[in-house]
Amino acid sequence: MNRLGGGISRNTSSSTNKASPPIIITKICVRDSSKPRDFWIDTSHTQIVEDLQSILNDEEIDLVVEVAGGVTSDIKDAVYASIKSGKSVVTANKALIAENLEEIAHLLAEANNTKNGSVKFGYEASVCGGIPIIHTLQSGYKGDIINEVMGICNGTTNYMLGKMEEGVDYEDVLEEAQDMAFADEDPTADVEGHHVRAKIAILAKLAFGTTVPVESIPCIGITNVSVVDFEYAKSMGCTIKLIGSAVRKSLYGEHDGALSVYVSPKLVPNNHLLASAVGCGNAVVIDSANLGTASYTGPGAGRYPAANSIVADILRVADNTCPTIPFPLSSNIEIDNDYESAFYIRVSFRDGLGIVRSLGELAESQGVSIHSILQQPITDRMAADTVVTTEACKLSQVEAFCDLIGKEDYALCFPVFMPMISDY
């Protein structure tokens, strides 16, 4: 049992005083039952086991909680077997859900045909930890039409970017995050945006009813963001956040076109709701036809915030308020992940004549309109930076523009680019 499992055990014990059906943890499956635990277990009714089948085959167990994480075959098989045997499932496994949305929905529908709708699937903790964003999207927007969802959905990278804004280099803040157990020894899934990609796929399904293949979502992490980007962002009255976005394009009217889903660092104005998420905090902003802009903020990670969401799901299953259909919307909205935005582009270069002219010509060749060019005083002519901001254009245009810049003799590397929230 991992740290989250310990948090669930504690939170479950504390929930028994509330006006809810009693929750009894009968079995806990772990890899090593001899390992010491940092939480109390009532051995009078709770067994520590190493054989997962002893849980799956136990007809007295009504609900299985899965917090092992990952999409390995044994984890997936355990979740699927639980559903097929008529057991409800509560999980925090965003990757498993995002990659198997349709299959999970189909299994639940089949199981509930024979179990009279008693098999439930709770996954509140899979996105934004302690923020009840799943439940909100399942029920709070039934009479509304959502235009856009943007979320800071990873506490590790939000913490790291906050430290970089204070002037700490990426390598140093990553080491600090690992020392504090915010980041794993292999931080790839966090810093490359993979966790956020899975989470925005789930939010897009709930908000728009469209299943977006995870591998099709453009995903850029924070590994190329540097302190110098924060210096330029500050001069523009902005900060930088890693954001998952799902937005309807405008075709004939407003937000009536294809759906774009993507993950990228983003320049965020300091007065924007997302700019307020600090430390390991998470935030989600939803724009809808009736409510306008609404924000949901809170602790996005940690043992007890995520455990709180798990226990809330368990109680919803117990008192029969957990939805029978976990993904209530279904639609055939076209997916077009060549999203449109204004962009920030940082070019690292060796100083020389004609660079600004070259940037203008290359931008024109790709149909990119330059909004502004920013440059701090050059202190090293062999390693300088300039920033180009663009008018709204497509991702593919910016990628082609940056590819051309990267081939120029004056370019030190491929430019760093990120979308900007410019219409706030």
Side-chain angles (χ1 to χ4, degrees):
M1 176 177 276
N2 55 22
R3 293 183 71 253
L4 177 53
I8 295 167
S9 180
R10 193 208 73 163
N11 285 14
T12 301
S13 300
S14 65
S15 72
T16 55
N17 295 324
K18 300 176 182 177
S20 313
I23 299 170
I24 300 173
I25 300 175
T26 57
K27 292 180 182 178
I28 299 173
C29 185
V30 298
R31 291 185 178 90
D32 181 3
S33 58
S34 65
K35 181 180 177 180
R37 312 291 160 186
D38 65 350
F39 56 93
W40 180 74
I41 297 172
D42 185 350
T43 55
S44 66
H45 58 66
T46 302
Q47 290 180 263
I48 301 293
V49 301
E50 295 181 0
D51 180 15
L52 183 59
Q53 293 302 317
S54 70
I55 291 178
L56 299 178
N57 296 332
D58 190 334
E59 295 183 359
E60 297 297 316
I61 293 177
D62 302 305
L63 183 148
V64 174
V65 177
E66 184 275 307
V67 291
V71 290
T72 57
S73 58
D74 56 337
I75 298 299
K76 182 178 177 180
D77 290 347
V79 170
Y80 283 18
S82 298
I83 294 172
K84 290 176 181 178
S85 65
K87 302 181 193 301
S88 294
V89 172
V90 172
T91 180
N93 196 331
K94 63 256 179 194
L96 178 66
I97 298 167
E99 293 180 18
N100 302 280
L101 275 165
E102 295 299 328
E103 199 169 359
I104 290 170
H106 179 70
L107 284 173
L108 286 164
E110 283 190 337
N112 282 314
N113 281 337
T114 58
K115 294 291 183 178
N116 298 318
S118 65
V119 183
K120 306 297 176 63
F121 188 79
Y123 57 105
E124 185 64 71
S126 67
V127 180
C128 293
I131 304 173
I133 193 63
I134 301 295
H135 193 61
T136 298
L137 285 170
Q138 284 175 326
S139 59
Y141 284 83
K142 284 186 175 180
D144 207 345
I145 298 173
I146 293 176
N147 301 321
E148 182 175 19
V149 178
M150 292 192 295
I152 298 170
C153 304
N154 185 269
T156 299
T157 50
N158 201 52
Y159 171 82
M160 291 175 64
L161 290 172
K163 286 294 184 179
M164 291 172 69
E165 189 168 26
E166 296 173 5
V168 183
D169 288 332
Y170 172 82
E171 291 79 8
D172 294 332
V173 75
L174 174 59
E175 183 178 353
E176 179 183 333
Q178 289 172 321
D179 290 342
M180 297 175 68
F182 290 162
D184 295 331
E185 184 177 346
D186 179 1
T188 303
D190 285 317
V191 299
E192 295 293 354
H194 300 166
H195 284 331
V196 178
R197 181 175 61 183
K199 293 173 184 180
I200 196 61
I202 294 170
L203 295 183
K205 175 64 175 177
L206 287 168
F208 302 101
T210 301
T211 300
V212 185
V214 174
E215 65 276 5
S216 74
I217 298 174
C219 184
I220 299 175
I222 68 168
T223 53
N224 290 323
V225 177
S226 78
V227 171
V228 71
D229 293 309
F230 280 100
E231 293 172 356
Y232 277 107
K234 183 178 180 180
S235 72
M236 300 164 66
C238 294
T239 186
I240 299 171
K241 300 289 186 181
L242 181 64
I243 294 175
S245 302
V247 58
R248 288 287 300 270
K249 291 184 175 182
S250 297
L251 186 60
Y252 301 110
E254 190 170 348
H255 300 292
D256 62 344
L259 175 65
S260 294
V261 184
Y262 61 97
V263 176
S264 177
K266 222 175 214 186
L267 251 72
V268 180
N270 289 327
N271 62 345
H272 192 277
L273 293 167
L274 288 176
S276 64
V278 297
C280 290
N282 280 196
V284 177
V285 170
I286 299 174
D287 178 72
S288 66
N290 295 338
L291 288 183
T293 302
S295 65
Y296 307 85
T297 62
R303 186 178 199 175
Y304 297 119
N308 186 71
S309 290
I310 290 280
V311 173
D313 270 341
I314 293 171
L315 293 173
R316 276 193 282 266
V317 172
D319 62 20
N320 203 33
T321 58
C322 184
T324 302
I325 301 174
F327 315 109
L329 291 182
S330 180
S331 72
N332 294 312
I333 299 173
E334 178 189 357
I335 299 171
D336 181 3
N337 289 335
D338 189 13
Y339 64 90
E340 298 178 8
S341 176
F343 283 87
Y344 163 104
I345 303 168
R346 174 170 56 82
V347 181
S348 299
F349 65 93
R350 300 180 190 87
D351 196 17
L353 295 174
I355 293 176
V356 171
R357 182 185 71 245
S358 171
L359 292 174
E361 291 172 349
L362 295 176
E364 182 181 9
S365 73
Q366 299 306 312
V368 174
S369 177
I370 291 177
H371 176 76
S372 67
I373 296 179
L374 309 173
Q375 185 171 302
Q376 296 176 351
I378 295 175
T379 58
D380 183 351
R381 299 181 67 87
M382 297 303 293
D385 295 285
T386 191
V387 165
V388 175
T389 66
T390 76
E391 302 291 344
C393 58
K394 292 183 177 181
L395 169 65
S396 59
Q397 291 175 286
V398 167
E399 288 177 328
F401 177 34
C402 289
D403 187 57
L404 292 175
I405 294 172
K407 294 175 181 177
E408 293 293 317
D409 290 340
Y410 56 77
L412 296 177
C413 57
F414 188 85
V416 173
F417 69 87
M418 61 188 85
M420 304 168 58
I421 298 177
S422 59
D423 57 351
Y424 181 69

